[in-house]
């Protein structure tokens, strides 16, 4: 037993309701940097109480995101319209924000069958900054300008600048460079009235308030950014016809687990028996959409490929063509 335990000061109170307004004690221009006095003793909390505090605060994040759904929907439709014309989706950020953009971009090819260059993540400091801190790079507007210039953006492209504070130089410069190239620009920040949202054509500001660990925006702010990027890329790909209902029909089966998942998807979409599913996948070289179409429309693999090409890869439209 700790001999000093009886004389130790009592732990500080837990957080107020996640919906209650923040109570700042220091003057700061961003709520994400505000220090909350009632959390000053979290290092003395029992572990379970500490986790309860973090969890309680985390509950406020989806509520804050819900307040921006209309703006997120506007962004989704604008991005999807451009990508339907051959454009790209680009994320630009520094630190945690940049890593989240890189992560979302990296997940699109295996999930939606996109080419690696269709959704791109730019991070201040380059690829090494994904796994190693490159804090100084976030202040380098010139790096952002060079990274954006290398992409040769066009008006068909869209760039999302990501920053918890909304004032980080790297994504701000990326927004300005993309806008100068005629691309659609979207600013995703976690503070109201951010410079990032003001610089972009569309602004999404998810105000999550102060962090339990003051200024550590990998916490609530990072969670909010992840939720928004999940929504943005997923909804855009659904709008582009890269799903069939809630099934990932553009999934790339690159390992045993994914090959089994493809079988389940084809079976779910068609109701076909395992033998028929395997035959359809073999005939279509493992392409999920083609196999589903061949089974539902009772057409051979070349016809399925032709129908999908004629419908820009949209399975529902290809089915309608097959039934005419």
């Amino acid at each position: 037993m700790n001999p000093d335990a009886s004389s130790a000061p009592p732990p500080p109170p837990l957080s107020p309701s996640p919906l209650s307004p923040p109570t700042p004690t220091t003057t700061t221009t961003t709520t994400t940097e505000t220090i909350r006095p009632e959390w000053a003793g979290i290092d003395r909390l029992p572990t379970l109480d500490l986790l309860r505090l973090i969890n309680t605060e985390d509950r406020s994040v989806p509520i804050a995101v819900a307040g921006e759904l209309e703006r997120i929907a506007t962004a989704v439709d604008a991005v999807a319209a451009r990508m339907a014309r051959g454009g790209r989706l680009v994320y630009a950020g520094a630190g945690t924000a940049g890593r989240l953009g890189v992560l979302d971009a990296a997940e699109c090819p295996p999930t939606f069958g996109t080419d690696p260059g269709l959704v791109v993540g730019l991070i201040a400091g380059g690829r090494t900054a994904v796994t190693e801190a490159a804090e100084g790079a976030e202040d380098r507007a010139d790096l952002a300008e060079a990274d954006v210039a290398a992409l040769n953006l066009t008006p068909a492209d869209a760039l999302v600048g990501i920053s918890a504070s909304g004032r980080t130089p790297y994504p701000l410069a990326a927004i300005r460079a993309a806008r100068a190239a005629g691309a659609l620009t979207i600013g995703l920040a976690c503070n109201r009235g951010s410079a990032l949202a003001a610089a972009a054509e569309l602004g999404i500001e998810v105000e999550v308030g102060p962090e339990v660990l003051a200024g550590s925006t990998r916490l609530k702010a990072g969670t909010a950014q992840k939720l928004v990027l999940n929504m943005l890329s997923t909804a855009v790909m659904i709008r582009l016809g890269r799903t069939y209902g809630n099934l990932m029909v553009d999934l790339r089966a690159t390992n045993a687990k994914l090959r089994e998942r493809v079988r389940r998807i084809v079976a779910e979409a068609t109701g076909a028996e395992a033998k028929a599913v395997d035959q359809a996948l073999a005939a279509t070289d493992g392409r999920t959409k083609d196999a589903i179409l061949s089974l539902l429309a009772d057409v051979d693999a070349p016809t399925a490929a032709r129908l999908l090409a004629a419908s820009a890869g949209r399975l529902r439209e290809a089915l309608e063509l097959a039934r005419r």
Side-chain angles (χ1 to χ4, degrees):
M1 179 180 293
N2 183 354
D4 298 325
S6 60
S7 61
L14 289 181
S15 163
S17 163
L19 296 182
S20 62
T23 308
T25 60
T26 59
T27 302
T28 178
T29 56
T30 61
T31 61
T32 50
E33 298 291 332
T34 300
I35 298 173
R36 295 281 288 270
E38 63 270 39
W39 298 340
I42 62 170
D43 55 327
R44 303 200 313 270
L45 279 174
T47 300
L48 183 56
D49 287 345
L50 174 60
L51 297 180
R52 284 180 178 138
L53 170 56
I54 295 172
N55 181 245
T56 297
E57 284 301 302
D58 284 344
R59 294 176 200 169
S60 68
V61 176
I63 297 171
V65 171
E68 291 293 287
L69 286 180
E70 289 189 10
R71 292 180 179 86
I72 298 169
T74 298
V76 166
D77 290 339
V79 172
R82 284 162 176 77
M83 294 186 77
R85 301 197 300 266
R88 295 164 291 175
L89 172 59
V90 181
Y91 298 125
T96 297
R99 293 182 190 101
L100 290 170
V102 170
L103 173 63
D104 198 74
E107 295 288 357
C108 285
T111 305
F112 300 109
T114 59
D115 291 332
L118 192 63
V119 183
V120 180
L122 300 179
I123 181 170
R127 290 292 171 177
T128 58
V130 175
T131 56
E132 300 175 16
E135 301 298 336
E138 72 174 49
D139 295 331
R140 297 280 302 276
D142 60 314
L143 294 180
E145 291 162 359
D147 289 343
V148 171
L151 293 176
N152 295 313
L153 297 183
T154 75
D157 298 317
L159 183 141
V160 182
I162 314 165
S163 166
S165 68
R167 61 187 183 188
T168 307
Y170 182 89
L172 270 170
I175 286 281
R176 294 180 182 125
R179 196 161 187 176
L184 172 71
T185 53
I186 301 164
L188 171 57
C190 293
N191 287 283
R192 295 289 180 195
S194 67
L196 192 67
E201 293 170 72
L202 300 175
I204 300 169
E205 295 176 314
V206 184
E207 192 168 35
V208 296
E211 301 285 5
V212 170
L213 190 63
S216 181
T217 51
R218 56 182 281 273
L219 300 175
K220 289 192 295 184
T223 300
Q225 292 163 352
K226 181 68 166 69
L227 290 177
V228 174
L229 296 183
N230 281 351
M231 287 182 174
L232 183 62
S233 59
T234 301
V236 164
M237 294 302 163
I238 291 172
R239 292 278 77 89
L240 293 175
R242 288 187 173 273
T243 66
Y244 180 64
N246 64 343
L247 300 176
M248 296 186 291
V249 292
D250 266 320
L251 176 73
R252 290 181 178 174
T254 55
N255 59 36
K257 179 189 73 175
L258 294 179
R259 284 190 288 275
E260 183 56 35
R261 183 178 295 170
V262 165
R263 292 189 187 95
R264 291 198 304 269
I265 288 171
V266 175
E268 176 67 24
T270 63
E273 297 294 331
K275 182 178 179 180
V277 168
D278 288 340
Q279 289 174 340
L281 284 169
T284 58
D285 196 25
R287 292 187 297 274
T288 313
K289 276 183 181 177
D290 298 58
I292 292 171
L293 182 58
S294 67
L295 288 167
L296 289 180
D298 193 22
V299 297
D300 59 20
T303 302
R306 178 179 57 79
L307 290 169
L308 283 166
S311 59
R314 297 174 182 271
L315 182 53
R316 289 194 188 277
E317 292 181 14
L319 281 167
E320 291 175 3
L321 284 176
R323 291 164 179 164
R324 289 177 186 173

